[in-house]
Amino acid sequence: MVAEPGGPEDQKPQSDEARSAFVPPAGVGRRTSASEDDQPTSEFAIPTGLTAEPQGPGPASASGSGSGTASGSDTIGSAFAPPSTYSAQHAPPAFTPAHGSPMIRLTKEAPWQDRMRTMLRMPVAERPAPEPVQKPDEAGPAVPRVLDLTLRIGELLLAGGEGAEDVEAAMFAVTRSYGLDRCEPTVTFTLLSISHQPSLVDDPVTASRTVRRRGTDYTRLAAVFRLIDDITTEDVDVSLEEAYRRLAEIRRNRHPYSGWVLTLAGGGLAGAASVLVGGGALVFVVAAIGAMLGDRLAWLCAGRGLPEFYQFVVAAMPPAAMGVALTLTHWSDVRPSAVITGGLFALLPGRALVAGVQDGLTGYYITAAARLLEVMYLFIGIVVGVLLVLYLGVQLGAELNPGTRFFAPDRPVVQILASMALCLAFAILLQQDRSTVLAVTLNGAVAWVIFGAMARTGHISPVLATATAAGLVGLFGQLFARYRYTSSLPFITAAIGPLLPGSATYFGLLGMAQGNVNAGLASLSTAVATALAIAIGVNLGSEISRLFMRVPGAVGGANRRAAKRTRGF
């Protein structure tokens, strides 16, 4: 029998399973107006109770029904529509000038380093569209693979000691050669990242890579530059697979010089530096032996996994010990100070100092701070190692006279030859290509001649003479690099070896070991000022060299843009 409506069966409460969670409970009346879910509103809609002003006929109201009370969605115009207060007769001045915006034209004759540096120093809105040099696939460039190749190339450059701006320029050159527009590389001390945005409405693709291990091999650095030069050249077809293959060969290549050759080169560098500051043949041999012992001990510590700080502490102790031992033997024809100074020349981190100051001058302050902090730690390691030995020598009665400043002005030919030998040994330590050794040796000899002529003959401040000589090193090194289409580091780093402040560092440490803190700090301040003069001079010489080149830029002779255009605000 079917129950009638309104009967007892119909009034039974329903179970929880049969009732929806959205059904209002008993006793609560239903709303007569439409719910918010049925008519969703935008956060830009006009609130209830506010009457919108009627708009004139236009694109926004053309489709309306003509009623005076239009809805909020009908009264909202386009974001590109002119405001209600806009008048064509009283229009504000246009953003684009009447003569037009200057067109940026990148000359093909300029090296890719200068072209990409110009792009990096240019606002994003003014950068010209990329002209793909390498032919992409039919489906377009493989964005993840291009970004990965770019990061691997940047990793080798950053690990080899290149400046942050040069690394970003190389990464930018690779991406634009394979047809990727709107790419932004970012380089810090240990992290590389690059972001590519296909269009204004697409999500960006970002990749990063961490540089965990760094080493000095300028032969590998030159090979990476040749690869980038081929990628950016229209006459050479380098596919992604070919670029990966060549990059793998660069990574697998062995160093041109073995470990024992590097040890001998370190000894030759210390010996040449000791002769440069007034030592003789015996001093050369003793300084070379002390430097080689320190190098072997540093290799042993590195094999045991000790950090680089302790390696520098251990490497600085044998040269200082050799000098103190010669003082205790009372040999009159041997200058212990020259032996210790020669050992310091082989340990001072001139390469990292130049790179750190260069990053700071070009606007990469985070990377510059990290590099300079690394230089400070390494320098403190050298100070600790030398101070331990000097303090022990003072306690044993060694007669170390900090007032005996040595310089041999009557041996210019010997000093020039010693500076050339120092640069040659330094080039071997940096694993340079044999074709660049002669150029960097001559560059270092010219730097020492300029320094000696200004400091000794002209009686000019040694710091100013050092900065001038370093500026010539940077100038000639940059010109050599542009002629060879490679990095400028192989032509610059070894050439600044004779200018390093080894003697000032030694006398500062000796003064502190003997308790004369004021004199020691004054000498160390001179060493720091000399080191900064070297770095600033090298960077200034490199910048001056670009003034003589055909620099890409705006049509009409616009000047090259600087990295920063702020004036203190």
Side-chain angles (χ1 to χ4, degrees):
M1 183 176 78
V2 178
E4 296 180 359
E9 291 82 358
D10 187 54
Q11 296 179 359
K12 288 183 180 181
Q14 296 181 356
S15 62
D16 294 337
E17 292 79 2
R19 182 187 306 152
S20 173
F22 301 98
V23 175
V28 178
R30 293 179 177 271
R31 294 181 180 180
T32 57
S33 62
S35 63
E36 185 180 358
D37 295 338
D38 297 336
Q39 295 181 359
T41 59
S42 171
E43 59 181 352
F44 300 102
I46 301 177
T48 306
L50 180 63
T51 303
E53 296 180 0
Q55 296 183 351
S61 59
S63 59
S65 59
S67 60
T69 58
S71 62
S73 59
D74 295 336
T75 59
I76 297 177
S78 172
F80 300 97
S84 58
T85 58
Y86 177 80
S87 175
Q89 298 178 355
H90 305 284
F95 177 78
T96 304
H99 54 78
S101 300
M103 183 180 64
I104 305 299
R105 180 179 299 170
L106 299 180
T107 59
K108 302 288 184 171
E109 294 80 6
W112 64 265
Q113 296 98 321
D114 291 336
R115 287 188 280 119
M116 294 303 108
R117 187 179 287 106
T118 303
M119 293 290 296
L120 287 175
R121 296 179 178 183
M122 187 184 303
V124 179
E126 298 181 10
R127 292 176 182 173
E131 299 178 3
V133 176
Q134 303 299 327
K135 298 179 180 179
D137 298 334
E138 296 181 357
V143 175
R145 297 199 65 192
V146 173
L147 297 184
D148 179 70
L149 176 66
T150 304
L151 289 175
R152 292 178 183 272
I153 290 177
E155 178 189 8
L156 287 179
L157 294 178
L158 186 62
E162 277 288 348
E165 187 179 31
D166 295 329
V167 176
E168 286 194 0
M171 297 171 65
F172 209 69
V174 174
T175 54
R176 290 182 67 88
S177 297
Y178 285 106
L180 295 188
D181 194 9
R182 289 180 292 274
C183 286
E184 288 297 331
T186 304
V187 176
T188 57
F189 186 54
T190 57
L191 181 64
L192 296 169
S193 64
I194 187 169
S195 178
H196 167 66
Q197 189 171 10
S199 65
L200 296 177
V201 297
D202 293 333
D203 295 332
V205 180
T206 305
S208 61
R209 192 172 184 87
T210 303
V211 181
R212 302 188 180 278
R213 187 175 181 180
R214 288 171 295 143
T216 305
D217 190 345
Y218 284 176
T219 302
R220 178 179 297 176
L221 192 67
V224 176
F225 265 78
R226 285 193 295 268
L227 173 60
I228 300 173
D229 187 66
D230 291 341
I231 291 176
T232 56
T233 303
E234 297 180 355
D235 299 336
V236 182
D237 186 12
V238 182
S239 62
L240 284 175
E241 290 74 15
E242 177 68 16
Y244 269 106
R245 185 190 64 80
R246 292 180 57 178
L247 196 62
E249 290 180 356
I250 294 174
R251 287 179 174 274
R252 287 195 301 265
N253 281 347
R254 300 180 60 182
H255 299 300
Y257 308 105
S258 61
W260 283 104
V261 174
L262 298 181
T263 301
L264 293 175
L269 191 153
S274 64
V275 175
L276 194 65
V277 295
L282 184 58
V283 171
F284 178 92
V285 175
V286 175
I289 293 175
M292 287 189 290
L293 288 177
D295 184 76
R296 284 291 96 187
L297 289 177
W299 276 91
L300 181 62
C301 294
R304 300 296 180 182
L306 288 178
E308 198 173 11
F309 174 83
Y310 301 104
Q311 298 176 27
F312 271 77
V313 172
V314 173
M317 296 177 71
M322 297 290 288
V324 172
L326 290 177
T327 304
L328 294 175
T329 56
H330 301 286
W331 284 9
S332 59
D333 56 344
V334 176
R335 308 184 68 173
S337 55
V339 175
I340 301 176
T341 302
L344 292 177
F345 265 88
L347 296 176
L348 292 177
R351 174 183 58 86
L353 176 65
V354 171
V357 175
Q358 181 180 0
D359 288 340
L361 294 176
T362 52
Y364 295 83
Y365 302 113
I366 297 178
T367 307
R371 289 185 189 271
L372 294 178
L373 186 62
E374 179 193 29
V375 172
M376 185 189 71
Y377 272 103
L378 298 182
F379 187 77
I380 291 176
I382 297 172
V383 168
V384 170
V386 175
L387 277 181
L388 289 176
V389 177
L390 292 181
Y391 182 77
L392 181 61
V394 171
Q395 298 301 317
L396 294 177
E399 297 180 359
L400 299 171
N401 186 10
T404 308
R405 300 285 175 168
F406 42 82
F407 193 89
D410 55 342
R411 302 190 307 170
V413 178
V414 175
Q415 289 185 334
I416 292 175
L417 294 177
S419 65
M420 296 178 66
L422 191 152
C423 294
L424 176 62
F426 206 169
I428 295 176
L429 286 175
L430 295 174
Q431 301 279 2
Q432 289 192 198
D433 192 2
R434 293 177 176 86
S435 61
T436 63
V437 171
L438 178 60
V440 72
T441 302
L442 296 177
N443 200 9
V446 171
W448 179 255
V449 169
I450 297 299
F451 171 78
M454 295 182 64
R456 301 303 301 176
T457 305
H459 302 286
I460 301 176
S461 171
V463 176
L464 180 59
T466 302
T468 304
L472 290 178
V473 168
L475 174 64
F476 293 147
Q478 198 67 236
L479 294 178
F480 278 130
R482 290 300 182 267
Y483 177 75
R484 299 282 299 271
Y485 290 96
T486 183
S487 173
S488 61
L489 290 182
F491 302 98
I492 291 178
T493 306
I496 65 173
L499 304 176
L500 293 176
S503 59
T505 304
Y506 163 69
F507 284 118
L509 298 180
L510 180 59
M512 296 182 65
Q514 293 180 341
N516 194 353
V517 180
N518 293 331
L521 291 178
S523 187
L524 289 178
S525 300
T526 303
V528 172
T530 304
L532 293 177
I534 293 173
I536 295 175
V538 168
N539 180 264
L540 182 60
S542 300
E543 293 294 333
I544 291 176
S545 67
R546 298 190 181 100
L547 299 178
F548 301 100
M549 303 175 186
R550 186 177 181 182
V551 180
V555 175
N559 295 328
R560 185 170 61 91
R561 299 175 182 269
K564 295 291 181 181
R565 289 171 295 277
T566 57
R567 294 297 182 269
F569 52 85

